[in-house]
Amino acid sequence: MREIAVFSGSAHPELAAEVCTHLGVPLSPSRVSRFANDCLEVQLQANCRERDVFLIQPLVRPVQEHLVELLMMCDAARGASARRITVVMPHYSYARSDKKDAPRISLGGRLVADLMVAAGASRVLAMTLHSPQVHGFFTVPVDHLHALRELAAHFRQYDLSRTTVVSPDLGNAKEAAAFARMIGAQVAAGAKQRFADDRVSISSVIGEVAGRDVIVLDDEIAKGSTVLELLDRLRELGPRSIRVACTHGLFASGALKRIGEQPDVLEIVCTNTVPVPVQERTDKLRILSIAPALAEAVRRIHNGESVSALFDAQEGAWTTGSGAS
């Protein structure tokens, strides 16, 4: 695949390397250094002139460091006369700052989108944004993928004849319903009220759960407070089994350990949009790769093909790697 250059920031180089393996191109080297005054400097160590440049960087802890690093990568590629700069952002953490629900607060989702465009990004490839309106924060084209196909392929190994997909809240119910249709399951949702970043209340679960195999589905799990609260409500209804799934397994503040210690949780499934430290993993954790889907989207963007057609293709069509073309 000529005229393409793929670079990775320091947030998740393993994912970037896997994407390049599926593309059949090398991962171009880059260097991040720090001056004595704590300022960052980024150098892209491969030719970018008139090339299609892809910068892979999820915004994960430390988010601000990785954000500035990404902005500098965009600026470096623009200064090196790249023909087009596509930011591949498997996790956009600022997407949670998407509405003005209190006086005098910033809309971080829109601000960071503006910063990326100002730094030189001409296109964005994202995975499972926290809310669909974040799409509109960008003034450049955004290709928005989701990981439902990868999750569905995993869960089809089980008997799904008595399965209910449960969304922790009504905001995620549409995605849960789409996932339920893919695996032929019923759908339910929790009635959630959030009081703080780590304090939520779920008063009830709307839908059939008693005696059924439950898959709790959320877009991301950070501190895990919502999932743990939902598990308490589900136990009151008597499900037959419980599994937990999400796209972005952030698992902050020991969340993975706390969820894994729940005796009735059989499995925790996430994707590798963000790195999960090996020392924090449990025997119940299953990590699915979204690198093949990202690689196919990158190939289609480079070749000027439809990315939305990925959702119309047969499942698994891109799981074997696309190779160079």
Side-chain angles (χ1 to χ4, degrees):
M1 189 178 287
R2 294 176 295 179
E3 296 183 354
I4 185 174
V6 182
F7 296 90
S8 172
S10 60
H12 202 350
E14 297 83 6
L15 176 60
E18 190 178 347
V19 169
C20 286
T21 297
H22 285 280
L23 282 171
V25 301
L27 179 61
S28 299
S30 60
R31 178 183 60 85
V32 179
S33 57
R34 192 179 297 270
F35 292 108
N37 64 355
D38 204 39
C39 291
L40 292 175
E41 181 184 64
V42 173
Q43 181 186 30
L44 304 180
Q45 297 180 309
N47 181 28
C48 298
R49 185 175 295 275
E50 293 303 316
R51 302 184 79 184
D52 207 356
V53 172
F54 293 85
L55 308 175
I56 302 178
Q57 178 88 318
L59 296 186
V60 295
R61 291 187 174 189
V63 174
Q64 280 59 245
E65 293 267 331
H66 290 142
L67 171 59
V68 173
E69 189 179 302
L70 176 59
L71 295 175
M72 289 189 167
M73 291 172 72
C74 289
D75 182 68
R78 180 174 59 181
S81 301
R83 188 180 73 224
R84 180 173 59 183
I85 302 167
T86 301
V87 170
V88 181
M89 195 166 44
H91 178 55
Y92 184 32
S93 54
Y94 274 98
R96 294 190 66 168
S97 179
D98 62 350
K99 56 187 174 295
K100 201 165 185 180
D101 52 4
R104 297 172 298 282
I105 62 170
S106 62
L107 281 175
R110 186 182 64 189
L111 173 62
V112 172
D114 289 343
L115 288 173
M116 278 191 274
V117 174
S122 46
R123 194 178 194 97
V124 173
L125 174 61
M127 173 74 72
T128 311
L129 294 170
H130 184 65
S131 54
Q133 63 262 33
V134 175
H135 223 213
F137 289 168
F138 291 88
T139 56
V140 295
V142 177
D143 293 301
H144 186 197
L145 304 181
H146 62 67
L148 296 185
R149 288 185 182 276
E150 286 75 11
L151 292 170
H154 171 80
F155 283 105
R156 285 198 185 104
Q157 67 182 293
Y158 304 119
D159 178 8
L160 300 174
S161 59
R162 289 184 56 81
T163 298
T164 298
V165 178
V166 180
S167 169
D169 54 48
L170 297 176
N172 195 58
K174 185 176 181 180
E175 182 174 343
F179 181 66
R181 286 194 299 271
M182 292 175 70
I183 63 174
Q186 294 186 19
V187 65
K192 184 178 82 171
Q193 184 177 5
R194 181 175 291 278
F195 300 99
D197 184 50
D198 59 350
R199 192 164 63 90
V200 300
S201 173
I202 297 177
S203 58
S204 62
V205 176
I206 306 165
E208 186 179 353
V209 171
R212 298 184 65 82
D213 300 311
V214 166
I215 301 173
V216 175
L217 178 70
D218 209 350
D219 61 329
E220 66 179 59
I221 298 177
K223 290 187 176 181
S225 53
T226 296
V227 171
L228 292 172
E229 174 76 6
L230 179 59
L231 291 178
D232 288 339
R233 299 290 79 75
L234 289 173
R235 291 182 184 113
E236 296 170 358
L237 301 171
R240 186 168 70 174
S241 68
I242 301 176
R243 288 179 166 84
V244 176
C246 68
T247 298
H248 309 299
L250 303 175
F251 302 127
S253 304
L256 183 56
K257 182 175 184 291
R258 290 196 302 274
I259 298 172
E261 287 175 345
Q262 305 300 308
D264 49 0
V265 173
L266 302 181
E267 188 179 42
I268 305 167
V269 184
C270 68
T271 73
N272 62 343
T273 55
V274 302
V276 180
V278 175
Q279 63 272 19
E280 296 182 11
R281 300 180 186 182
T282 74
D283 293 338
K284 295 182 179 180
L285 180 67
R286 305 289 181 268
I287 301 177
L288 312 178
S289 178
I290 47 85
L294 287 178
E296 178 63 12
V298 166
R299 187 192 68 79
R300 287 170 179 255
I301 290 171
H302 176 66
N303 291 338
E305 301 172 10
S306 171
V307 175
S308 62
L310 282 175
F311 301 113
D312 301 324
Q314 291 294 319
E315 180 194 337
W318 59 89
T319 57
T320 55
S322 52
S325 63

